[in-house]
Amino acid sequence: MTEEQKQQTRDRIGQRIATLRKLAGMSQEQLSERAGLQRTHVSRIEAGKYAVTLETIQAIAEALGMTVDIIDPGLQDLAPLKRLTSSLRHQTSKKLNPLKRIRNGKS
């Protein structure tokens, strides 16, 4: 695995953790307290700056009320997660539309 691939993996894991944390309605501080981590550590993980250990991922998953399963037949159907992701993108886009109009000089 190249360094670039490793970074892409760290970025992907960090983004997934950030998304799941936000969906759970938690701040980084709340997640860090529940997982027994420093808030700055959670921040750096979400930013893709750290390669996390399985133990840290397990602690984060448990803090989010989830499990870490690498091979799980129940994970074959990712359609619900894809719908949720699409919905979040749409909501974010809707919230940014007024800002885009202001930026473009259309109020």
Side-chain angles (χ1 to χ4, degrees):
M1 182 178 270
T2 68
E3 286 303 315
E4 182 178 347
Q5 290 170 322
K6 289 178 186 177
Q7 183 59 52
Q8 289 172 348
T9 299
R10 286 192 296 270
D11 290 341
R12 207 170 40 252
I13 289 170
Q15 289 170 1
R16 173 67 61 84
I17 290 170
T19 298
L20 293 171
R21 173 183 58 77
K22 291 171 187 174
L23 288 172
M26 282 189 222
S27 66
Q28 286 182 343
E29 183 72 29
Q30 290 168 319
L31 177 59
S32 66
E33 287 173 8
R34 291 183 186 185
L37 303 169
Q38 295 289 321
R39 189 207 52 81
T40 54
H41 191 65
V42 170
S43 175
R44 289 179 182 132
I45 291 168
E46 289 184 359
K49 296 188 187 288
Y50 282 161
V52 292
T53 64
L54 182 57
E55 291 79 11
T56 300
I57 291 176
Q58 181 67 41
I60 291 171
E62 287 176 6
L64 292 168
M66 305 180 85
T67 61
V68 176
D69 295 311
I70 295 173
I71 301 172
D72 181 348
L75 295 178
Q76 290 178 4
D77 182 12
L78 296 177
L81 182 58
K82 289 178 182 176
R83 283 194 300 273
L84 178 61
T85 303
S86 175
S87 174
L88 286 173
R89 281 193 196 116
H90 178 70
Q91 289 174 13
T92 302
S93 178
K94 278 179 66 175
K95 289 178 183 177
L96 291 176
N97 280 339
L99 297 175
K100 289 177 184 175
R101 285 196 299 271
I102 292 169
R103 183 188 68 199
N104 293 332
K106 303 173 186 174
S107 346

